[in-house]
Amino acid sequence: MSKPFFIYVVLFLLSFNYIDAQEGWMNKCNSSKVVGNYVFTFHAELNIDDKNRYIEKSLNSINECLDLIGEKSFIDSIRVEFLNDRSEMKKYLGWPASGMAYPDRKTMFCIVAEKTPIKHEWMHMVSMLKWGTPDRTLTWLNEGLATYADKCSIYSNEKIYQYLIQKEKLIKIDELINDFYNQNDVIAYFQSAYLVEYLLSHYGVYKFKLLWQSDINQFNEIYEQPLKKVIKEIEVNLIKRSPVINDFNWEEFEKGCY
């Protein structure tokens, strides 16, 4: 039994609890609530209003993610575990993330916090369960879509991308394609988010889905031009129509959203 699967089993077993009379919640060490085809689990001590707020945010996120990729329904049964903080994430998952999605296990984890990547992780769940897991050469497309959906920065993706051009901070596309997770996290995610936004807004969901279900080698055929030509088009357009950006707080931006 792999370590991640063992952890999942432990968390699953911990949440079998007795039924409380209040609003259908089950309480013991953890408390769980079934809403449609989703099971939401929290630490029992979190107040019910907060639990319901996270559930509402999840349900809204699912609908918004479906709209973004042009899908109408999502019928998969998903288990969502809300943990207290990053240290608890590290304890159970081996990594101090603020959120993790496992579409193959239909399980998602998020921290309970004012800023939590609920929509980002739901975008992973929805897109991968509707369209499949993209090829490793399209990790940037996968993470870019989730970042675009979440819209967590105070700056628009376009403004971020233009600033990256202006300061010569853009990551080379070959490095995004071949080694995404070893790049500067904040730059990689937001650079990819704008590329995704551009592809969707200029070429539509149909071609985007075709690429998602293919690999980077099919980009030319699907979009009838190389990816590098699209990137050059983006850069020329942004430089031509956008002023020099002076009101960008790089230090704050580099801290990320969560």
Side-chain angles (χ1 to χ4, degrees):
M1 183 182 294
S2 67
K3 184 177 179 181
F5 184 70
F6 173 76
I7 291 167
Y8 168 69
V9 171
V10 170
L11 287 171
F12 182 78
L13 291 174
L14 282 174
S15 63
F16 279 99
N17 306 300
Y18 63 84
I19 298 177
D20 194 334
Q22 189 173 17
E23 297 186 13
W25 284 93
M26 297 178 290
N27 293 287
K28 199 175 180 182
C29 296
N30 292 334
S31 60
S32 300
K33 187 173 186 177
V34 179
V35 182
N37 49 316
Y38 314 117
V39 179
F40 298 93
T41 299
F42 303 84
H43 284 283
E45 67 270 15
L46 187 67
N47 71 69
I48 287 178
D49 286 344
D50 284 339
K51 292 172 186 174
N52 285 328
R53 181 166 54 84
Y54 285 110
I55 290 173
E56 182 180 7
K57 187 172 182 179
S58 287
L59 298 177
N60 290 338
S61 293
I62 294 165
N63 290 329
E64 290 165 7
C65 290
L66 286 168
D67 287 344
L68 185 58
I69 62 172
E71 296 288 348
K72 301 299 182 184
S73 63
F74 188 63
I75 60 173
D76 293 84
S77 296
I78 306 297
R79 185 173 194 82
V80 186
E81 302 273 356
F82 282 92
L83 304 179
N84 279 344
D85 51 36
R86 285 174 175 267
S87 64
E88 195 169 20
M89 278 280 195
K90 184 174 182 179
K91 176 182 176 182
Y92 289 125
L93 303 180
W95 183 254
S98 53
M100 295 287 285
Y102 296 94
D104 55 332
R105 299 176 207 145
K106 298 189 177 181
T107 305
M108 185 177 114
F109 299 88
C110 270
I111 60 170
V112 170
E114 181 180 351
K115 293 184 177 181
T116 186
I118 292 175
K119 190 183 291 187
H120 183 109
E121 302 306 333
W122 271 115
M123 189 75 256
H124 283 314
M125 298 295 290
V126 170
S127 58
M128 285 194 270
L129 286 169
K130 296 295 289 188
W131 292 354
T133 301
D135 184 77
R136 62 174 298 276
T137 59
L138 297 173
T139 299
W140 64 275
L141 198 74
N142 190 358
E143 295 294 358
L145 178 61
T147 305
Y148 173 44
D150 199 24
K151 294 180 172 64
C152 66
S153 177
I154 61 171
Y155 302 115
S156 70
N157 293 321
E158 180 178 298
K159 185 169 184 175
I160 293 168
Y161 199 94
Q162 194 212 344
Y163 186 82
L164 295 174
I165 294 173
Q166 182 179 307
K167 297 300 181 180
E168 299 183 349
K169 291 179 177 289
L170 283 175
I171 299 167
K172 294 179 180 178
I173 189 59
D174 290 342
E175 294 175 356
L176 278 184
I177 291 169
N178 297 313
D179 200 17
F180 182 90
Y181 290 118
N182 282 323
Q183 309 307 317
N184 177 297
D185 281 351
V186 180
I187 296 176
Y189 279 75
F190 281 99
Q191 181 176 333
S192 299
Y194 186 64
L195 293 178
V196 164
E197 180 178 344
Y198 192 88
L199 291 175
L200 285 172
S201 62
H202 285 72
Y203 300 99
V205 173
Y206 177 72
K207 288 187 176 183
F208 190 87
K209 181 179 178 181
L210 286 180
L211 179 61
W212 184 283
Q213 296 177 333
S214 305
D215 60 52
I216 196 62
N217 296 320
Q218 303 305 311
F219 189 96
N220 289 23
E221 181 177 345
I222 294 168
Y223 286 93
E224 301 177 345
Q225 59 186 316
L227 175 56
K228 289 183 179 179
K229 184 176 179 181
V230 173
I231 291 171
K232 186 64 178 178
E233 175 184 297
I234 290 171
E235 293 181 8
V236 169
N237 288 340
L238 287 181
I239 292 170
K240 184 184 299 183
R241 65 184 175 82
S242 300
V244 173
I245 297 174
N246 295 313
D247 59 339
F248 196 100
N249 188 326
W250 176 258
E251 289 72 23
E252 284 301 312
F253 170 72
E254 201 172 23
K255 292 176 183 177
C257 294
Y258 309 110

